[in-house]
């Protein structure tokens, strides 16, 4: 049973593979063909799965896919969502079917995974420097001339390494390269306009390369001061636009269109506005947003930031959290403490600890989980355990061993990479399909 669009990608091998007992989250005692998962009738609230289990609520996923498609249409932007968030071919397919121009990735191995499942255009938003990684990407481009891969450079040394490898490999067409603009004290990227333009000139003059555009990552500017963030992000975007205009005056671009790319998951609305209306250049400009976490959103850091975005967009409803991790109470060692069957190997903890949302007792008459009362919080996690603190009140008597607790997370990227298989569920938490990840 497939309720998410799958257009264009080669996913049949995933449907046909046998999932063995021991696949995390699945209640298997013998191998099961993955494509048959949706007809098993498993229901999370009934306790049919193994626990912990990571689930994606399909109604929220579909809402978010449509929301971002409409957002991009409204602002005249192009979406190349960052695939490192999920590394899920099925979710890539859903994004591409909802108008994504391509998929952004962070490493050569991720590019290989995307190509394996027939993604036709990727933006490698990272420096490609290791000899083996350069060769891996160039091999794909050489053997599959219709495959497109854009890469980054922020140094003359990086440009030289790419040029030497491309000329040795003798690709059918130049490798498109974007100059990365960075921020002082942050990660990769040119630190000044002068450095960025020097790299752009080197790309334009290098054998086998073509200057495709400029890019940066404004997400590094996120702080607790939203007003200051907005000013800093807008200034950074304006700097990128001016670099594009200067490079065009110098006739440095070598592709049919100019890519202008940024857009994490916190301030992508500012990016869409900042890149809108860049016209009058030698060729069309394509603004490319790279937000990846929009697809699932979260119950923590992005939820807080996206509330500000909703206000700026004046939207009645924004993105919905879609990702939850469900576990079972395995111990009630103290009145104010419940120990859950999930830990750091199962849910994000790098920004915020998981957010306890729901409780449910398998076998009860309730068809939907109940909300946990205010004051319930995950206060600590070990590898395989979470410490759920319970406030004074009836909850201390209500929650028992064997009950289920559903948690939201903060920062979906570092939950996805803990699961080889996640389960898509409908509004009643009935499992509809399995979604794979490749980290």
């Amino acid at each position: 049973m497939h309720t998410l669009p799958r257009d264009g990608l080669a996913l049949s091998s995933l449907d046909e593979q046998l999932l063995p007992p021991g696949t995390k989250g699945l209640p298997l005692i013998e191998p099961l063909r993955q494509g048959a998962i949706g007809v098993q009738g498993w229901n999370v609230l009934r306790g049919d799965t193994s626990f912990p289990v990571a689930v994606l609520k399909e109604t929220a996923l579909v809402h978010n896919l449509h929301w971002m498609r409409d957002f991009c249409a409204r602002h005249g932007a192009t979406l190349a969502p960052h695939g490192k968030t999920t590394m899920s071919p099925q979710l890539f397919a859903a994004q591409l079917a909802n108008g994504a121009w391509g998929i952004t990735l962070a490493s050569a191995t991720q590019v290989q995974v995307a190509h394996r499942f027939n993604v036709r255009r990727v933006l490698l938003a990272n420096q490609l420097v290791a000899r083996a990684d350069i060769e891996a990407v160039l091999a794909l481009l050489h053997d599959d001339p219709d495959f497109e891969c854009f890469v980054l450079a922020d140094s003359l040394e990086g440009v030289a390494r790419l040029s030497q490898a491309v000329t040795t490999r003798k690709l059918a067409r130049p490798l498109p390269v974007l100059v990365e603009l960075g921020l002082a004290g942050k990660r990769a990227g040119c630190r000044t306009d002068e450095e960025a333009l020097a790299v752009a000139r080197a790309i334009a003059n290098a054998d086998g390369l073509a200057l495709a555009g400029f890019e940066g990552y404004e997400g590094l500017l996120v702080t607790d001061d939203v007003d200051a963030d907005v000013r800093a992000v807008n200034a950074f975007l304006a700097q990128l636009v001016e670099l594009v205009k200067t490079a065009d005056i110098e006739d440095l671009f070598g592709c049919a269109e100019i890519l202008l790319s940024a857009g994490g998951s916190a301030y992508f609305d500012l990016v869409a506005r900042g890149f809108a209306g860049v016209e009058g250049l030698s060729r069309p400009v394509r603004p490319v947003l790279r937000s990846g976490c929009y697809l699932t959103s979260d119950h923590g850091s992005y939820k807080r930031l996206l509330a500000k975005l909703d206000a700026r967009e004046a939207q009645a409803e924004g993105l919905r959290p879609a990702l939850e991790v469900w576990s079972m109470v395995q111990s009630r060692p103290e009145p104010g403490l419940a120990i859950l069957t999930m830990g750091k190997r199962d849910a994000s903890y790098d920004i915020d600890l998981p957010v306890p949302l729901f409780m449910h007792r398998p076998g009860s008459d309730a068809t939907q989980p109940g909300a946990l009362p205010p004051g319930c919080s995950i206060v600590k996690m070990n590898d395989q355990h979470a410490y759920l603190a319970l406030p004074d009140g009836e909850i201390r008597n209500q929650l028992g061993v064997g009950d289920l607790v559903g948690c939201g997370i903060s920062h979906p990227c570092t939950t996805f990479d803990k699961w080889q298989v996640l389960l898509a569920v409908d509004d009643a938490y009935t499992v509809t399909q399995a979604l794979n990840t490749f980290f």
Side-chain angles (χ1 to χ4, degrees):
M1 182 191 310
H2 301 298
T3 53
L4 294 173
R6 296 158 58 90
D7 303 14
L9 295 199
L11 304 177
S12 60
S13 64
L14 298 176
D15 294 335
E16 296 304 318
Q17 69 180 344
L18 289 178
L19 297 175
T23 301
K24 189 165 74 164
L26 304 189
L28 301 181
I29 57 175
E30 59 185 24
L32 177 68
R33 188 177 69 87
Q34 179 169 303
I37 282 179
V39 298
Q40 299 303 306
W42 295 338
N43 185 277
V44 173
L45 300 183
R46 204 164 54 223
D48 293 338
T49 66
S50 177
F51 292 93
V53 63
V55 303
L56 287 163
K57 301 173 88 167
E58 285 189 333
T59 299
L61 285 178
V62 171
H63 169 84
N64 294 345
L65 287 164
H66 294 171
W67 190 100
M68 184 59 90
R69 180 194 62 199
D70 295 343
F71 172 90
C72 289
R74 190 164 64 247
H75 288 280
T78 296
L79 178 66
H82 212 318
K84 73 172 177 62
T85 299
T86 69
M87 281 309 296
S88 173
Q90 294 98 333
L91 295 178
F92 292 173
Q95 291 171 308
L96 291 166
N98 277 271
W101 172 80
I103 300 293
T104 297
L105 296 162
S107 69
T109 53
Q110 291 179 5
V111 173
Q112 289 174 309
V113 169
H115 182 269
R116 185 195 318 168
F117 292 100
N118 203 38
V119 174
R120 306 311 300 155
R121 180 185 291 118
V122 302
L123 170 57
L124 178 53
N126 215 341
Q127 313 302 321
L128 187 60
V129 292
R131 178 174 55 83
D133 291 337
I134 295 173
E135 181 58 29
V137 171
L138 297 187
L140 296 178
L141 294 168
H142 179 271
D143 297 341
D144 185 358
D146 294 329
F147 177 60
E148 293 183 71
C149 182
F150 297 80
V151 304
L152 307 188
D154 70 351
S155 68
L156 301 181
E157 295 84 358
V159 172
R161 292 173 75 87
L162 291 173
S163 177
Q164 180 180 15
V166 171
T167 53
T168 300
R169 179 49 97 155
K170 295 182 172 59
L171 295 183
R173 61 179 186 270
L175 177 67
V177 185
L178 288 81
V179 177
E180 180 170 16
L181 179 66
L183 296 158
K186 304 295 183 180
R187 64 191 195 196
C190 299
R191 293 323 199 222
T192 66
D193 291 353
E194 291 74 18
E195 291 176 2
L197 289 169
V199 173
R201 296 179 189 116
I203 295 168
N205 293 319
D207 291 337
L209 307 183
L211 181 64
F214 286 79
E215 73 84 45
Y217 176 52
E218 81 295 337
L220 297 171
L221 294 166
V222 173
T223 70
D224 293 331
D225 186 340
V226 175
D227 291 338
D229 290 355
V230 169
R231 292 192 295 272
V233 168
N234 285 335
F236 182 65
L237 300 173
Q239 187 179 4
L240 281 167
V241 169
E242 288 305 311
L243 283 169
V244 164
K245 292 179 178 179
T246 300
D248 192 60
I249 291 172
E250 295 187 25
D251 196 26
L252 299 181
F253 292 109
C255 300
E257 57 186 10
I258 299 168
L259 300 191
L260 187 54
S261 179
S265 297
Y267 291 114
F268 59 83
D269 61 316
L270 301 182
V271 176
R273 292 191 193 94
F275 288 169
V278 181
E279 299 175 343
L281 303 186
S282 63
R283 60 206 75 196
V285 175
R286 180 181 294 277
V288 179
L289 308 184
R290 303 197 304 272
S291 173
C293 295
Y294 83 90
L295 182 58
T296 64
S297 191
D298 70 14
H299 289 88
S301 59
Y302 286 120
K303 182 178 182 180
R304 294 189 293 270
L305 289 164
L306 290 172
K308 302 291 185 180
L309 184 151
D310 293 341
R312 293 191 296 268
E313 284 290 296
Q315 290 292 297
E317 183 179 15
L319 298 167
R320 300 177 187 172
L323 176 59
E324 297 171 4
V325 177
W326 281 78
S327 60
M328 186 169 279
V329 177
Q330 64 174 316
S331 179
R332 285 296 320 277
E334 301 167 14
L337 180 64
I339 302 299
L340 308 181
T341 59
M342 74 170 190
K344 293 180 178 179
R345 298 185 183 274
D346 310 304
S348 304
Y349 59 91
D350 55 316
I351 296 180
D352 298 312
L353 292 175
V355 181
L357 302 169
F358 307 117
M359 61 177 289
H360 184 80
R361 178 159 294 169
S364 71
D365 294 333
T367 59
Q368 288 293 311
L372 283 166
C376 292
S377 63
I378 303 294
V379 294
K380 181 180 178 180
M381 294 172 74
N382 301 142
D383 284 357
Q384 311 283 178
H385 300 82
Y387 297 63
L388 174 61
L390 304 174
D392 291 335
E394 189 60 28
I395 186 62
R396 294 190 175 192
N397 299 320
Q398 291 174 335
L399 193 66
V401 171
D403 287 345
L404 299 176
V405 173
C407 289
I409 53 87
S410 183
H411 195 198
C413 298
T414 51
T415 291
F416 273 97
D417 67 4
K418 296 170 175 34
W419 296 85
Q420 292 181 320
V421 176
L422 298 92
L423 298 179
V425 298
D426 64 17
D427 289 344
Y429 286 89
T430 297
V431 176
T432 61
Q433 65 176 303
L435 304 172
N436 304 94
T437 69
F438 292 84
F439 286 95

